[in-house]
Amino acid sequence: MHLNHDNDAPAADPIAFDDFLRVDIRIGTIIEAEPFPEANKPAFKLKIDFGPAIGVKKSSAQIVDRYALEDLAGRQVAAVVNFPPRQIGKFMSEVLTLGFADEDGAVILFAPDHPVPNGSRLF
């Protein structure tokens, strides 16, 4: 997560293109979503299918303000798939699901505007 979510914040320090290439951002389809009541901040537990090379991974996503649980299955999302797993309470989050803050600070999922194969990598 970035340290500063302010829309008026300056760009982060420059990185080398090779650093960008090391971040593996893939598209997956949410196959299951459930409540995560024990999370410190309101969140859902997601299972996301990234295709045969990556498989199904778990993620905790703080998206409860803009998404209904029952509307998430079948939705494609982008996620970083090569961060180490992160323990969030009793839940192990295996990927970082990506989103942007809207004008109210609620997270809006980052996804393609046309379907793409699960496992497609950002370039």
Side-chain angles (χ1 to χ4, degrees), residues 53-110:
I54 305 291
V56 175
K57 300 292 182 181
K58 298 181 296 182
S59 182
S60 170
Q62 296 173 0
I63 57 173
V64 300
D65 292 335
R66 295 291 185 260
Y67 298 92
L69 198 59
E70 61 273 8
D71 295 334
L72 291 170
R75 175 185 283 275
Q76 287 197 302
V77 294
V80 177
V81 299
N82 66 330
F83 284 152
R86 185 173 180 184
Q87 189 77 42
I88 301 174
K90 294 181 180 179
F91 183 74
M92 184 64 73
S93 187
E94 300 172 303
V95 298
L96 175 63
T97 303
L98 300 177
F100 292 90
D102 68 10
E103 61 279 349
D104 298 322
V107 177
I108 304 300
L109 292 168
F110 183 61

Side-chain angles (χ1 to χ4, degrees), residues 20-59:
F20 168 74
L21 293 177
R22 292 178 55 213
V23 180
D24 193 351
I25 299 173
R26 304 282 182 119
I27 293 297
T29 300
I30 299 171
I31 58 173
E32 187 178 315
E34 60 184 74
F36 190 5
E38 59 272 12
N40 288 338
K41 294 182 181 179
F44 293 138
K45 295 178 187 178
L46 307 177
K47 285 188 182 175
I48 306 168
D49 181 1
F50 291 97
I54 305 291
V56 175
K57 300 292 182 181
K58 298 181 296 182
S59 182

